[in-house]
Amino acid sequence: MPEPDPTRRLRLDLSYDGSDFHGWAVQPGLRTVQGELEAALAQVTRTPVAVTVAGRTDTGVHARGQVCHLDLGEQVLAGLPGRSDRDPAAALVTRLAGVLPADVVVHTARVVPDAFDARFGALRRTYRYRISDSPSVHDPLRRDVLRHRRPLDVEAMDRASEVLLGEHDFLSFCRPREGASTTRTLELLRWERPGPGFADAGLVVATVRADAFCHHMVRSLVGTLLPVGEGRQGEGWPAAVLAARTREAGRRGEAGAASLCPPQGLTLEDIEYPPDDGLAEQARRARTLRG
């Protein structure tokens, strides 16, 4: 009986335009990022491959800095360069580029310690939500920006966000998974309108960073701040929604579960990990914390 092929863990860094995907996770009969990626990996390696992702994105949400990991047999990995002397991980990137659709790009692949866990090993995740609130800055070529009909007061939105920073139970802003915690540490929620010469000039941009996010949390944070920017709610509105700690809709004039903004303005920008010697401890701590 042949000896089993030992495996090596690889980290993939990738980007995608989420406009034409039904989110990250595989769903029968629907086009998803995970489905396209795993099909491409299976075609290139000639073996079934399952990937674990840092953060599952919803339908229509984009990623510039997504991360996932997978395990490949050493013999499979060694065979990827063919007759060339290329690094096997670099050969994987080149071969994936030939079979993936144009709206998914794997930028890099590299062998990592077995303790690396793309999901639970992450220290923090950063998202940006981009809004165009004026016809003068609408760009029909961009699919990562929400077109908004009313002008927004960026300074008021930024001030109102301060109360949400730190560790809180974000139940009002999440669609919770049964038995899982909705407590998160929000490190950054900043609103700005970049000036001429800067990236995203003229747009309203929210930068959101946390140790982790529960389902729909970023879109709910933005959805709660939009009425403040429009002047329909005062700057104390986000604090009231946070304090409500409910999934029920609010009665007229009262705070309830946060409103959910559309997905197309949201992009996963970056994911940070600890040094290799801290990977196992970070993954253990995160699993315990998230239930």
Side-chain angles (χ1 to χ4, degrees):
M1 189 172 185
E3 290 290 327
D5 186 11
T7 61
R8 301 298 300 274
R9 179 153 293 187
L10 284 88
R11 167 178 168 167
L12 303 185
D13 289 71
L14 64 152
S15 301
Y16 47 86
D17 176 350
S19 303
D20 299 325
F21 288 105
H22 290 268
W24 167 269
V26 168
Q27 301 180 61
L30 297 177
R31 185 173 187 257
T32 68
V33 183
Q34 183 183 11
E36 294 284 357
L37 179 59
E38 289 185 347
L41 285 163
Q43 182 177 343
V44 167
T45 65
R46 299 182 182 179
T47 184
V49 178
V51 300
T52 298
V53 74
R56 294 185 176 188
T57 49
D58 295 336
T59 296
V61 175
H62 321 284
R64 182 170 285 108
Q66 183 67 279
V67 177
C68 65
H69 78 253
L70 60 125
D71 295 322
L72 276 185
E74 289 185 351
Q75 293 181 22
V76 174
L77 183 61
L80 289 174
R83 297 180 179 179
S84 75
D85 59 357
R86 289 183 299 166
D87 174 76
L92 177 62
V93 173
T94 302
R95 296 184 66 175
L96 285 173
V99 295
L100 280 170
D103 47 4
V104 183
V105 177
V106 173
H107 300 291
T108 62
R110 64 180 184 271
V111 175
V112 291
D114 290 343
F116 179 85
D117 186 304
R119 179 186 177 192
F120 289 109
L123 289 172
R124 56 187 58 86
R125 298 155 172 86
T126 301
Y127 285 83
R128 285 196 175 89
Y129 198 100
R130 295 171 172 88
I131 304 170
S132 169
D133 65 342
S134 168
S136 64
V137 293
H138 289 341
D139 182 351
L141 300 182
R142 290 193 64 164
R143 304 210 295 177
D144 62 340
V145 177
L146 175 71
R147 291 180 63 165
H148 194 70
R149 291 182 297 174
R150 298 179 180 177
L152 297 171
D153 183 338
V154 176
E155 288 75 18
M157 297 165 78
D158 196 49
R159 289 192 298 269
S161 299
E162 292 180 6
V163 70
L164 300 173
L165 298 177
E167 183 180 282
H168 302 286
D169 183 347
F170 285 96
L171 177 61
S172 298
F173 298 85
C174 298
R175 192 173 82 183
R177 179 169 53 86
E178 186 175 354
S181 170
T182 52
T183 298
R184 299 291 187 270
T185 301
L186 190 61
E187 299 179 2
L188 177 69
L189 177 49
R190 181 182 67 226
W191 290 86
E192 57 191 336
R193 192 188 298 272
F198 289 91
D200 300 322
L203 299 177
V204 175
V205 182
T207 302
V208 191
R209 181 180 303 129
D211 58 340
F213 294 93
C214 38
H215 197 197
H216 288 165
M217 182 173 164
V218 180
R219 291 170 59 194
S220 296
L221 290 168
V222 174
T224 300
L225 271 300
L226 285 177
V228 176
E230 295 171 355
R232 294 189 290 112
Q233 294 286 356
E235 293 181 18
W237 180 245
V241 174
L242 179 68
R245 293 186 64 250
T246 180
R247 292 308 307 152
E248 302 297 322
R251 297 179 180 178
R252 188 174 183 86
E254 296 180 359
S259 300
L260 188 66
C261 68
Q264 62 264 33
L266 183 59
T267 301
L268 173 59
E269 296 283 346
D270 182 62
I271 302 170
E272 296 179 49
Y273 293 90
D276 287 353
D277 60 4
L279 288 170
E281 173 58 24
Q282 170 60 21
R284 184 203 62 77
R285 190 184 69 85
R287 286 191 181 95
T288 301
L289 204 62
R290 304 291 163 239

